[in-house]
Amino acid sequence: MAVAMGRPFVIQPCLSSSLCFLSKNINKSSFGAAETFLPAKPSSTRCTTVVVHAQQRPTWLPGLDPPPYLDGTLAGDFGFDPLGLGEDPQSLKWYVQAELVHARFAMAGVAGILFTDLLRVTGIRKLPVWYEAGAVKFEFASTRTLIVVQLLLMGFAETKRYMDFVSPGSQAKEGSFFGLESALEGLEPGYPGGPLLNPLGLARDIENAHVWKLKEIKNGRLAMVAMVGIFVQAAVTHAGPIDNLIEHLSNPWHRTIIQTLANSGS
């Protein structure tokens, strides 16, 4: 039997003329003593041992038993998989990589939107609001040229990433990346590392870099939620995030998400 609170303790009736209740490792502040013996009526007894274990790992919902395939070894694993998408081990590996890539894109997207929106609002640069930036025509290249270049570059990067996922370490072999293999190192799938992508060397020992992996995936999940908020905000208010923030700060009690959604529906 498992519970999510309390410290481990053992109940053992003693094989003797009297029955004893023996508790170990119980909080003294709650029960007043480390060991308590309560006499009982003499009777013939049989030995029974009941072990209660405290929950050792945090879960997204306290007291919830995580699925057996989410054993806490993955970075950011809090047992959240209500749809059971990770039951298949191969699918779980792919979902881990997919979440990691989406998290990194979301972090880059949020940073880019906030930075350019701040430049626009302050008047430092004459820039379009972020959701209209894609319609801007550039003088140095046509839209068609930019699309082709982006498809080629992104296609190459994603193909290399997929090949490294299928065969870990294959993209770090000599001659597989125009002689730049040593600059990428190929620590493990999803973590290329090296001077180019890990210039500060924060996670050179990738197998023991659980803290850095946890920080990255937590910030990435927060960024994905932020991107959803920015999308909804733009669709409802037709303004950038900095504009919305300034409007809210100008009248915090009457310029909130509740009033904004109520006015948009009317």
Side-chain angles (χ1 to χ4, degrees), residues 12-232:
Q12 289 182 328
C14 303
L15 287 174
S16 63
S17 59
S18 63
L19 182 63
C20 301
F21 178 88
L22 173 61
S23 70
K24 296 181 179 178
N25 296 328
I26 299 179
N27 194 320
K28 293 183 180 181
S29 62
S30 301
F31 295 89
E35 295 186 357
T36 304
F37 295 89
L38 300 177
K41 295 181 180 180
S43 61
S44 58
T45 61
R46 60 180 180 179
C47 183
T48 304
T49 302
V50 179
V51 181
V52 181
H53 296 281
Q55 188 178 14
Q56 298 298 322
R57 54 171 292 201
T59 56
W60 68 278
L61 185 63
L64 182 69
D65 291 331
Y69 51 87
L70 295 179
D71 55 5
T73 57
L74 296 173
D77 176 13
F78 296 99
F80 182 80
D81 188 17
L83 300 180
L85 300 177
E87 291 183 0
D88 179 57
Q90 289 301 119
S91 298
L92 179 60
K93 291 180 180 179
W94 178 253
Y95 287 135
V96 168
Q97 296 299 313
E99 182 187 34
L100 190 59
V101 171
H102 282 81
R104 289 169 178 170
F105 272 116
M107 287 188 285
V110 170
I113 289 174
L114 294 179
F115 180 70
T116 55
D117 211 42
L118 186 62
L119 295 179
R120 179 185 63 83
V121 172
T122 56
I124 297 177
R125 291 290 302 272
K126 188 178 179 180
L127 298 172
V129 67
W130 70 270
Y131 51 82
E132 295 179 353
V136 175
K137 302 293 183 180
F138 295 96
E139 297 180 356
F140 62 87
S142 65
T143 302
R144 181 178 299 178
T145 301
L146 292 176
I147 292 177
V148 172
V149 171
Q150 182 176 359
L151 287 176
L152 290 175
L153 294 178
M154 289 294 297
F156 176 77
E158 287 299 296
T159 300
K160 299 288 284 185
R161 185 176 69 85
Y162 178 74
M163 293 171 66
D164 190 59
F165 171 78
V166 175
S167 180
S170 61
Q171 303 309 299
K173 295 179 180 179
E174 185 177 357
S176 63
F177 199 73
F178 304 112
L180 299 175
E181 301 82 18
S182 60
L184 296 173
E185 292 186 3
L187 300 177
E188 68 177 46
Y191 299 93
L196 291 179
L197 300 178
N198 186 22
L200 300 180
L202 298 178
R204 290 180 179 177
D205 185 8
I206 197 64
E207 294 182 357
N208 298 317
H210 184 77
V211 174
W212 291 107
K213 290 180 179 180
L214 181 61
K215 289 180 179 180
E216 180 185 35
I217 198 63
K218 279 186 173 182
N219 282 278
R221 290 169 179 171
L222 181 62
M224 287 189 282
V225 175
M227 283 301 302
V228 174
I230 291 175
F231 290 158
V232 174

